[in-house]
Amino acid sequence: MKSAITISLVAEARGGPFVFWDDLTTGFAAAARHGFDAVEIFAPAANAVPIGLTRQLMERHSQKVAALGTGAGWLKHKLRLTDPDPAVRARAREFIYGIVNLGGYLGAPAIIGSMQGRWEGAVSREQALDWLAEELQALSERAAAHGQVLLYEPLNRYETNLFNRNADAVEFVTARGLKHVKLLCDLYHMNIEEQNPAESLRETGALIGHVHFADSNRRAIGLGHTDIGPIAAALRDSEFAGYLSAEILPLPDAETAAAQTMVSFRKLVPAT
Ligand code: LER
Ligand code: MN
């Protein structure tokens, strides 16, 4: 398993669960200084991430890009893949295509979290799930053309009513034949929704594509009450070789959150 830490370039996300902010140059340097393998970037749009500079920073600091968030499409523009308005769904898809293509250049998968939306009003659950499946199919085919998967993230009940638990999302992804979609398992959402987070990860098995490494209170692992031992054992037994990525609040401050994450990560994955 590999380590990653978040950098947000989205002013509107201030107060959200991201450790480093506003600037890729300082964010990459900080990630490297703390010993991370990779950064996860939350950008306002695909064209806000300069490919040349990002590749230079990756090279200079021996960092990979673990994943790219797409949630700014919702946060900034109120776009979502299950919106009743077909024009909004089309703009949501275009926004995400841009980030999937950026991921092609940077060797990173895109994340569908907040952009999944929710079913409500005139949109039935069945209709929303049909739209979601259709969009995940198209977007994940584009990802596959770049040699990437697409990461679908179940969120807690306060953020979506589509899928809150891994098992339900696994069933959906499997039943709809979404071969290039894997799950992003966020330990913060799982702490709210799963009866037994470690068991849930074991059941998700080979479909675990990425992990948001957050404690129960969305602080660094070790600063809340999540029992990480059984979770790490489940990930190991599932032969998960992807990223444990700190999508966490920068509390008490970014430096301490990053340092604490690395201390916790090293207990699970000793330095070689
Ligand atoms: C995104 O990764 C996520 O976890 C959501 O809660 C949106 O912040
Ligand atoms: Mn998350």
Side-chain angles (χ1 to χ4, degrees), residues 82 116-121 123 125 128-129 152 155-164:
T82 52
Q116 67 192 275
R118 57 192 300 115
W119 67 275
E120 61 190 357
V123 178
R125 178 169 178 83
L129 294 186
Y152 170 72
L155 303 175
N156 75 66
R157 66 193 66 184
Y158 307 107
E159 298 187 32
T160 188
N161 56 10
L162 296 177
F163 293 108
N164 306 123

Side-chain angles (χ1 to χ4, degrees), residues 153 184 186 189 212 218 247:
E153 181 175 22
L184 194 178
D186 183 324
H189 297 304
H212 276 158
R218 221 170 201 180
E247 185 191 63

Side-chain angles (χ1 to χ4, degrees), residues 255-270:
E255 286 297 310
T256 312
Q260 173 62 44
T261 295
M262 191 40 72
V263 166
S264 297
F265 178 77
R266 282 284 165 241
K267 284 186 192 156
L268 309 178
V269 183

Side-chain angles (χ1 to χ4, degrees), residues 8 16-17 21 31 38 46-47 83 91 95 176 179 188 230 241 255 263:
S8 170
W21 286 83
N47 63 11
D83 196 275
R91 285 176 55 218
F95 184 91
R176 304 289 180 131
K179 293 190 193 63
Y188 163 75
E255 286 297 310
V263 166

